Amino acid sequence: AVARRELHCAGCENRCRVIRTTFAGGRSYFSGNRCERHYSNGRPAERAGENLFALRLRLLFHRPSDPAGVPIRTFGIPRVLNLYENYPFWQTLLTSCGFKVLLSGVSGKELYEKGSATVMSDNICLPAKLVHGHILDLIEKGADRILYPMVIYEQQESPESLNSFNCPVVTGYPDVVKSSIDPEGRYGVPIDSPVISFRDEALLKRQIHLFLSPFGVSRRQAAEGVEKGLAAQREVRRAIQKRAGQVIAEARQRKGFCVVVSGRPYHADGLINHGLPELLAGFGVDVLPESAVPLPSEPKLNNSKVLTQWAYTNRIFSVARAVAKDPSLELLQLTSFGCGLDAVSVDETREILQASGKSYTLIKMDEIANLGAVRIRLRSMLDAIRERSLADVPAAQTPVETCVSTRGD
């Protein structure tokens, strides 16, 4: 006899729909869960891996939202795209200048569906589609205005790279939202989209003063706010890298390894990554986001085979080179369907890793949340790494590549 029962996991905000199948003899099998922390069909790992994605999210978004005195205005900020990198800057800047900050909610199915009717192209990536729901969420929460900046240049982390452009979708999406939702016309909530460059601090201060001066913010206040915001953003990066350094050192001591899940900043969003970092940690592996990897001064990017002009693509290349030289690190690249830049970055990343004999695994994610195929690929990747380690075979002799798509194509 076989009995089936539907459950809903309460382990995190994903609220996975889990099917428990009980067979004759009392043995159960679970399906539908995105991770194995609470419902597992295998033996538990000897040790639980540490998931630094959770730490990164806490450092980014668990921040005070009120200014010292009475707020001038309440600015809503959507929890989307490059705000997964720059939110500490904007939160610190605005609160130091006297504004209250309202952050949109954590991504989920309901929030996504809330804005899906206003998505103008089905070919756009899932991270961009999510923006619509976050904008509507801020309107419902009562934001006076919404701050969604058009960031042309991010900070240039590699001095030898050609440039630090943002993805065109990330840069231009504020205009898409204004056209598709029309928050000011329909809801009376304006969207402020100042054009911003993080490459030049002096220019950044002028841009911020131009943006905030209509609200009575002086040039000096704006400049001090920019300095505090940049310092807050650097502190988040230092904190996550400090903990990553400790985790890597502990892995070396036990002759283990950590997996760097390398992607865009927004791949830290639990709805976009579908719980993949938690799944990896459930296998007993320490998981690091790409921003947590302490980058050495060498090797440089000036010998790259592609144009190093995209800020976060450049970071992926730098991280891949760091992983290639560290026996205690392995890399998994995460990308979203519809990302034109990653069509190039995956080839360069693969070559960087395989030149050192490291395994290369690419996982493409979209709306579909069934991680059955992903789970198989992750286990295969980890088994290949462990087998290579146990056999004491030099990495350069055992290149491995796996690729899986959550669309099933």
Side-chain angles (χ1 to χ4, degrees), residues 203-268:
L203 174 60
L204 177 61
K205 289 178 179 178
R206 293 197 298 271
Q207 291 170 327
I208 294 300
H209 177 248
L210 185 65
F211 162 50
L212 294 179
S213 59
F215 302 100
V217 176
S218 68
R219 186 180 301 274
R220 181 177 178 180
Q221 282 180 297
E224 291 177 350
V226 167
E227 291 171 1
K228 292 177 182 177
L230 293 175
Q233 192 155 311
R234 287 192 296 267
E235 181 55 36
V236 169
R237 191 80 180 272
R238 279 195 295 265
I240 189 69
Q241 289 188 346
K242 179 180 178 181
R243 181 55 193 151
Q246 295 168 347
V247 171
I248 294 170
E250 292 166 5
R252 288 172 182 155
Q253 287 182 351
R254 62 175 181 271
K255 296 183 179 180
F257 60 91
C258 306
V259 173
V260 178
V261 179
S262 182
R264 312 281 166 175
Y266 50 73
H267 282 119

Side-chain angles (χ1 to χ4, degrees), residues 173-201:
Y173 219 75
D175 277 347
V176 175
V177 169
K178 289 178 183 179
S179 299
S180 62
I181 299 178
D182 189 16
E184 185 169 12
R186 294 182 61 187
Y187 304 100
V189 181
I191 288 188
D192 294 306
S193 302
V195 178
I196 297 297
S197 170
F198 282 105
R199 281 189 63 183
D200 185 330
E201 186 172 333

Side-chain angles (χ1 to χ4, degrees), residues 365-393:
M365 310 294 280
D366 206 347
E367 290 95 331
I368 296 175
N370 187 345
L371 291 189
V374 173
R375 187 177 287 110
I376 293 172
R377 293 304 187 275
L378 294 181
R379 285 197 174 112
S380 299
M381 177 189 76
L382 297 177
D383 286 346
I385 295 168
R386 288 167 177 149
E387 183 177 342
R388 183 185 69 204
S389 176
L390 290 174
D392 197 25
V393 176

